Amino acid sequence: MAQVPQRFFDALAVRTWCGLSLRALGQAREEIDAINVYPVADGDTGTNLYLTVESAVAAVEAVFAAHEVDEGRRDAGEAPRDADDGPSLADAVGAMAHGALIGARGNSGTILAQLLRGMAQVLAARGDCAHTEGAGLRLALRHAAGSARQAVAHPVEGTVLTVASAAADAAGGTEGDCAEVARAAYEGARAALAATPGQLAVLERAGVVDAGGHGLVTVLGALVETFTGRAPGPAAVPHARAEHGGEDRAGGCVVGGCAAAQEHTTREEHAADLAGSGPAFEVIYLLEAGDAAVARLRQRLDALGDSLVVVGGDGLWNVHVHVDDAGAAVEAGVEAGRPHRIRITHFGHDDAHTTKAERPPRERTQRAVVAVVPGEGLAALYAEAGATTLLARPGEPPASGELVQAVRRAHACEVVLLPNDAELRHTAAAAAEQARAEGIRVALIPTRSAVQGIAALAVHEPERRFDEDVVAMTSAAGATRHAEVTVAERQSWTTAGICQAGDVLGLIDGDVAVIGADVAQVAATVLDRMLSAGGELVTLVLGDEAPPAVADHLEARVREAYLAVDTVVYRGGRQGALLLVGVE
């Protein structure tokens, strides 16, 4: 079904463009991941771009949702309403840029965030204008390309920066409306993308175009569809030449589908050889800091590593760098301001002094457990038990693409996936399907709490047959009741009555069961209700903000009132809830 074209670039066009970009990147993600060889051959550029735009879409949708709420309130008061009233262009592009900034992933995602921010700076500066026409869009594309180039410490031709500049140049050569400007930008970007192998040797050796540039062409194609109602034809994209020879693609795995996964890995290794080794870690964080502090930070990080991109402004920045000393990169951020949402990814390079001939071949393990965990303490606990973890901080649930990346990082033929959150059920299912399409055998155990995941991990035995292991882990998780103690953020109706902001809530199996004022008292009531049905082991996971004495109080209560029940206590870190409780 054709998209209804937008005549001008207004708030609705921004919303449409974001949605179409997300859909297009979702369709092209695997193709873009497959040709990712620069700056690091980690096969995630398409996924990173998708996650960056996904965050932009969420921010724009939130602006429209907030406007609809405001309109509903005005309607209830019978205030006059303009049928065409809606968010302003400045509001929409500002939300788009902010969402991309806080959600930017990887090198290309960070650059895309700056491209969107550059456009937003021009379009928002038009004040109260409800829309802009072709001239405004041309200016926005030009400023976007320039600001993105300035954000990169050492710009390299043959990358997304080259493609962005070509798009701006082509757009500047037309005097037409938004549709003509968008078409010109797309065609200019597509031509520049096709030329990238001749500008960057690593692309030419791999037989591919630049992955980030391909992503930008995809986004510009969505812009064309926004104004014309029809998506342009896809650009022909050469793929990496994988050399398999006569090697055993199955790598010794006997599970169905593992051969396909091993072939996928061989392509990744071939690309890695083409790109060469580099710094061991990718470090990304949001930073609250002033301009002067960020200028000093750029110099410090530039000396520590490469692929440095710092985007943002007005006190909020997204910092991306590849380094060998991840701790030093984070410490530099602490000195500059307040870093948060810190993400550190190990590229898995061999030691810099090891030659390719000396590197041992990468082999997939037979089985792995991948778990989403809500705090640093639990992440360490799960990692000690052998699980690959994905940290989900409060209010930041992972997207399906991040779960797929975690499954890939586990590098196994068989994966048991523990989402540890009822809200992640559909996200985890989508990630499992994507991983299966890549040849990995995945079993999703629908754990609804991290304590259920702990129970499942405790009975995990990789030596068992896969199905038997999954059944045992599922049974252990299902036999574990879960609860949490948290603080209400606002007044609301609950299954236990009306709570006020600041009340302590005790939730059992996801439903509010207790409302009180004292953490220890609410926790004890929750524990008593759970143990009234029996139990052999109580698991307590304390968050950073839980009163220090609450664990001792609960342990003593269990010893005195429930003689045959054992208690184990863990420190969960910043997990959102004050306390997690599991009863097996």
Side-chain angles (χ1 to χ4, degrees):
M1 184 169 138
Q3 173 69 37
V4 177
Q6 303 294 316
R7 183 179 177 187
F8 304 111
F9 199 53
D10 57 8
L12 184 57
V14 172
R15 185 187 199 183
T16 302
W17 180 33
C18 286
L20 291 174
S21 295
L22 187 64
R23 186 185 70 182
L25 285 171
Q27 295 170 344
R29 182 187 60 77
E30 291 182 38
E31 184 176 39
I32 297 172
D33 282 346
I35 63 172
N36 173 203
V37 299
Y38 183 85
V40 175
D42 48 357
D44 63 357
T45 292
T47 299
N48 286 336
L49 289 169
Y50 180 88
L51 294 173
T52 301
V53 174
E54 186 177 52
S55 182
V57 168
V60 172
E61 290 300 324
V63 166
F64 274 85
H67 172 77
E68 289 169 3
V69 169
D70 289 342
E71 286 298 312
R73 289 172 178 166
R74 285 164 51 185
D75 286 347
E78 298 184 356
R81 177 179 176 183
D82 183 351
D84 295 326
D85 193 18
S88 68
L89 173 62
D91 288 341
V93 296
M96 173 186 70
H98 181 73
L101 176 67
I102 65 174
R105 303 289 203 283
N107 190 71
S108 295
T110 308
I111 294 174
L112 177 61
Q114 186 64 12
L115 286 167
L116 297 179
R117 177 179 171 81
M119 292 186 69
Q121 287 175 322
V122 170
L123 298 172
R126 300 178 71 84
D128 295 331
C129 293
H131 67 265
T132 189
E133 300 187 17
L137 182 56
R138 287 196 301 272
L139 185 60
L141 289 168
R142 168 54 60 198
H143 185 68
S147 63
R149 191 169 285 270
Q150 291 174 359
V152 178
H154 301 284
V156 175
E157 296 306 324
T159 65
V160 63
L161 297 176
T162 305
V163 175
S165 296
D169 290 344
T174 179
E175 298 295 329
D177 59 11
C178 286
E180 290 186 33
V181 172
R183 272 194 295 262
Y186 172 78
E187 293 298 336
R190 187 168 64 167
L193 176 65
T196 55
Q199 297 173 290
L200 203 52
V202 65
L203 301 179
E204 185 175 25
R205 291 198 300 272
V208 299
V209 295
D210 179 64
H214 181 15
L216 179 57
V217 169
T218 302
V219 170
L220 290 173
L223 186 64
V224 173
E225 186 175 1
T226 298
F227 295 117
T228 67
R230 296 186 179 277
V237 181
H239 288 268
R241 298 184 298 269
E243 299 171 357
H244 302 301
E247 66 186 64
D248 178 10
R249 295 179 183 177
C253 296
V254 296
V255 178
C258 193
Q262 194 72 20
E263 181 177 344
H264 177 75
T265 302
T266 304
R267 292 197 300 268
E268 290 177 342
E269 290 170 346
H270 177 73
D273 284 342
L274 290 167
S277 62
F281 298 96
E282 177 186 60
V283 178
I284 303 175
Y285 50 80
L286 289 179
L287 179 70
E288 296 177 15
D291 291 357
V294 170
R296 293 191 296 270
L297 176 66
R298 289 179 191 269
Q299 295 179 348
R300 175 89 178 272
L301 293 179
D302 193 25
L304 284 174
D306 59 29
S307 296
L308 174 61
V309 185
V310 181
V311 305
D314 301 321
L316 181 64
W317 310 81
N318 191 305
V319 179
H320 170 281
V321 67
H322 295 172
V323 294
D324 282 320
D325 190 345
V330 175
E331 289 173 6
V334 172
E335 292 177 6
R338 189 177 80 86
H340 51 105
R341 294 198 186 187
I342 301 169
R343 292 183 175 88
I344 300 174
T345 302
H346 184 248
F347 288 130
H349 293 318
D350 296 301
D351 187 275
H353 302 292
T354 303
T355 66
K356 293 177 184 177
E358 295 170 333
R359 296 174 191 166
R362 297 180 69 200
E363 294 184 1
R364 285 184 177 269
T365 59
Q366 185 64 31
R367 190 175 308 157
V369 176
V370 173
V372 181
V373 289
E376 295 88 344
L378 280 176
L381 174 66
Y382 272 74
E384 287 175 9
T388 297
T389 61
L390 177 61
L391 188 62
R393 292 190 172 87
E396 300 178 36
S400 60
E402 292 177 287
L403 278 171
V404 173
Q405 285 181 304
V407 171
R408 291 173 182 157
R409 195 169 70 245
H411 204 61
C413 297
E414 304 165 332
V415 171
V416 180
L417 182 57
L418 306 175
N420 292 337
D421 187 339
E423 299 297 323
L424 290 179
R425 180 181 57 194
H426 297 300
T427 302
E433 282 302 313
Q434 175 59 47
R436 291 180 189 121
E438 296 177 5
I440 305 171
R441 189 178 184 186
V442 181
L444 171 61
I445 299 179
T447 47
R448 295 179 292 170
S449 170
V451 292
Q452 288 187 321
I454 292 173
L457 198 55
V459 301
H460 168 55
E461 291 185 13
E463 295 77 17
R464 278 192 298 223
R465 290 180 57 248
F466 185 62
D467 292 338
E468 292 176 354
D469 197 27
V470 171
V471 168
M473 295 176 72
T474 303
S475 178
T480 303
R481 299 191 69 193
H482 63 95
E484 67 177 78
V485 177
T486 188
V487 177
E489 296 181 355
R490 62 184 68 87
Q491 182 188 57
S492 62
W493 288 89
T494 76
T495 51
I498 300 176
C499 72
Q500 305 295 328
D503 282 348
V504 180
L505 307 180
L507 290 79
I508 299 178
D509 294 334
D511 293 323
V512 177
V514 183
I515 301 174
D518 181 75
V519 174
Q521 184 177 2
V522 169
T525 302
V526 166
L527 192 55
D528 286 340
R529 293 192 184 184
M530 296 178 73
L531 287 172
S532 65
E536 298 176 356
L537 176 66
V538 171
T539 300
L540 304 175
V541 184
L542 270 69
D544 275 351
E545 298 181 0
V550 69
D552 294 337
H553 173 73
L554 295 176
E555 282 189 284
R557 188 179 189 87
V558 172
R559 279 197 307 269
E560 294 169 3
Y562 307 96
L563 299 180
V565 179
D566 294 324
T567 305
V568 60
V569 179
Y570 301 112
R571 301 287 171 177
R574 292 174 292 173
Q575 62 185 24
L578 299 175
L579 177 70
L580 300 178
V581 183
V583 173
E584 299 178 45

